[in-house]
Amino acid sequence: MTISRTQVVIVGAGPSGLLLGQLLHRAGIANVIVEQRSGDYVLSRIRAGIIEQICQDLLIEAGVGERMLAEGLVHKGIELCFAGQRHHIDLHGLTGGKTVMVYGQTEITRDLMDARASAGLRTVYEADKVAIHDYDTSTPSLSYHQHGKVYTVKADFIAGCDGFHGVCRASVPAAAIQNFERVYPFGWLGILADVPPVSDELIYSNHPRGFALCSMRSKTRVRHYVQCSLDDKLEDWSDDRFWSELKSRLDPQAAARLHTGPSIEKSIAPLRSFVAEPMRFGNLFLAGDAAHIVPPTGAKGLNLAASDVRYLSRAFIENYTEKSYAGLADYSRKALRRIWKAERFSWYMTSLLHRFPLGPGDTGNVGAKMQQAELDYLVNSKAAMTSLAENYVGLPFEE
Ligand code: FAS
Ligand code: PHB
């Protein structure tokens, strides 16, 4: 058994764990990250694409904003497509000048990994049998197996940044945690392709055949999605079938401009709304997907992870520099207040834009008429568009 010690041990080297580790390091707080997968595997996962100003500010504060500012695309609006027409939502004009940035999660993860390696910080990849211990005492620890040996990391605190399927939330007794969950009756089939975007802005489409989203990673790489059945398998979807289906769900002008090409990545993701309460258990703190999941329709997943990390990093820094536990004690309340507003917005966008199959509990044909009425009201009401815009660019933080 090899025993080491640090101040904060972080479980998971996704964006939550890496960003937290970088912010703590810059504040002089020692931390170790333990990740079950390889770095290449973490980088291979294609996830989020849109970041709010608050997330951009955090990356700059963490000292990893340079490439983002150089390569990221600033977007001042989005387009809603329904009934064969596109409608511009002027995010910039409706929010007093706020915008979002297109900069892929993969690039954020790469920038954070590079910064961590340059600082010579300890990150354990491919750790097996990761387990946490005594998190509700003043001597929490983490253990893992690697190359036939057992390692223990003692720490003051454990940060559970290990995603929806991680070990940290799963280690909390059921009586101590309350889960809130809704699973949607459809999934998203996403592809990555090296072709130019169909439009300068993202297109969110409500169509009788199902939802579609035309997004991008750069001026030469697109990330598109179509709503699909939960029974679909990747082998059911050839590139040709994807492009044909996407085209059928767009307005005629966008369909005519759609550039097609071979997919370089293709994946199906289920959609769920999920929140675990609380997010603190003694000296264990959950952050990011370890504590909540949103349907990606509102582009909130990664941004919520950054939101948690902003609150948690400041609370750890306050603890070590001012010897005050107040921020840590209030972390869960503050984070959850913002999380539930993002859950609401993500649920709203998902309910507005997807085709809900007829079935028990679903809204059936009345639901489709309600969607049409909501969309018609939305694009003809400045108040309604302002509400969508201020949620999409990111609500202000409660300090
Ligand atoms: P992550 O899941 O990214 O990272 C957790 C890390 O912990 C992983 O590297 C995992 O290997 C590791 N881990 C798990 N168990 C462990 C253990 N026992 N020990 C050690 N390590 C462990 N968000 C958007 O905003 N827009 C999108 O379009 C979007 N698309 C998505 C598509 C998919 C398929 C998924 C799953 C999510 C998507 N998201 C999207 C949300 C996603 O971007 C998350 O919000 C983001 O990855 C959250 O980052 P983390 O909290 O770091 O969790
Ligand atoms: C993406 O580019 O992957 C993306 C953009 C906006 C969303 C979801 C995903 O709402």
Side-chain angles (χ1 to χ4, degrees):
M1 165 92 68
T2 303
I3 297 175
S4 61
R5 200 189 196 297
T6 189
Q7 290 176 299
V8 180
V9 63
I10 299 170
V11 191
S16 295
L18 288 166
L19 181 55
L20 178 62
Q22 187 64 11
L23 290 167
L24 294 183
H25 166 65
R26 287 174 70 91
I29 298 171
N31 63 89
V32 172
I33 295 182
V34 179
E35 162 63 50
Q36 67 176 0
R37 299 286 191 169
S38 70
D40 287 343
Y41 182 92
V42 174
L43 281 171
S44 70
R45 293 187 302 231
I46 304 301
R47 297 271 183 84
I50 298 294
I51 53 178
E52 298 170 1
Q53 186 64 50
I54 286 157
C55 186
Q56 298 165 47
D57 295 345
L58 261 183
L59 292 169
I60 293 165
E61 179 185 330
V64 297
E66 188 180 345
R67 193 162 72 98
M68 171 193 69
L69 294 172
E71 298 177 13
L73 302 176
V74 175
H75 277 209
K76 295 184 173 182
I78 60 173
E79 295 191 283
L80 295 185
C81 177
F82 60 94
Q85 283 195 315
R86 260 179 293 157
H87 303 264
H88 177 68
I89 306 290
D90 178 10
L91 301 176
H92 185 266
L94 290 165
T95 61
K98 292 184 180 178
T99 58
V100 292
M101 180 178 279
V102 171
Y103 190 65
Q105 177 172 323
T106 303
E107 306 319 313
I108 292 171
T109 306
R110 193 189 315 280
D111 294 342
L112 286 165
M113 281 179 174
D114 292 347
R116 189 168 179 84
S118 302
L121 302 180
R122 185 176 166 210
T123 309
V124 179
Y125 286 103
E126 298 180 286
D128 288 329
K129 298 178 184 168
V130 177
I132 59 174
H133 314 280
D134 305 322
Y135 56 79
D136 50 357
T137 73
S138 59
T139 55
S141 67
L142 169 147
S143 63
Y144 66 92
H145 293 218
Q146 195 167 59
H147 310 317
K149 291 177 69 178
V150 182
Y151 297 82
T152 290
V153 182
K154 293 178 181 268
D156 301 328
F157 303 103
I158 301 174
C161 299
D162 49 345
F164 185 66
H165 300 290
V167 67
C168 291
R169 191 181 77 246
S171 299
V172 176
I177 195 166
Q178 191 174 6
N179 294 330
F180 301 84
E181 184 169 40
R182 176 181 184 187
V183 178
Y184 294 89
F186 38 73
W188 278 18
L189 167 67
I191 70 158
L192 210 55
D194 281 336
V195 296
V198 66
S199 165
D200 289 341
E201 296 180 335
L202 271 57
I203 301 176
Y204 289 83
S205 178
N206 169 301
H207 189 277
R209 294 179 64 89
F211 168 78
L213 170 60
C214 293
S215 183
M216 61 191 81
R217 289 294 178 270
S218 68
K219 296 285 191 187
T220 58
R221 176 169 286 189
V222 296
R223 177 72 170 168
H224 294 328
Y225 300 91
V226 293
Q227 174 184 343
C228 66
S229 161
L230 285 174
D231 300 327
D232 280 358
K233 303 280 181 291
L234 275 183
E235 50 267 26
D236 301 332
W237 285 89
S238 67
D239 285 3
D240 287 348
R241 181 186 174 196
F242 177 88
W243 291 116
S244 162
E245 190 58 42
L246 177 61
K247 201 168 207 174
S248 72
R249 299 185 188 184
L250 297 173
D251 63 286
Q253 292 74 24
R257 290 170 46 92
L258 186 66
H259 298 276
T260 64
S263 59
I264 54 179
E265 191 273 353
K266 197 186 289 183
S267 51
I268 293 177
L271 271 65
R272 76 177 78 237
S273 300
F274 173 83
V275 180
E277 290 190 0
M279 294 166 63
R280 171 182 159 244
F281 307 89
N283 286 316
L284 168 65
F285 297 82
L286 302 181
D289 278 18
H292 44 75
I293 296 287
V294 284
T297 328
K300 290 293 166 225
L302 177 58
N303 291 296
L304 261 189
S307 170
D308 293 348
V309 167
R310 187 180 189 279
Y311 284 128
L312 187 54
S313 59
R314 277 150 172 73
F316 278 138
I317 292 166
E318 178 192 69
N319 177 72
Y320 284 107
T321 57
E322 299 170 31
K323 307 299 178 217
S324 164
Y325 201 86
L328 289 170
D330 198 31
Y331 163 69
S332 183
R333 180 197 66 80
K334 268 189 181 178
L336 282 166
R337 191 159 175 241
R338 187 173 166 80
I339 287 160
W340 276 111
K341 289 177 183 168
E343 290 282 351
R344 181 209 67 82
F345 177 66
S346 304
W347 163 83
Y348 167 76
M349 290 287 278
T350 303
S351 305
L352 179 66
L353 295 168
H354 288 77
R355 194 181 65 76
F356 284 75
L358 281 171
D362 287 313
T363 51
N365 58 358
V366 171
K369 297 300 271 186
M370 290 295 191
Q371 277 183 351
Q372 289 162 25
E374 172 72 23
L375 286 162
D376 184 18
Y377 164 67
L378 175 60
V379 298
N380 290 291
S381 160
K382 185 177 179 187
M385 285 188 284
T386 302
S387 173
L388 188 154
E390 67 181 10
N391 279 278
Y392 195 89
V393 299
L395 296 176
F397 263 86
E398 172 205 345
E399 294 305 343

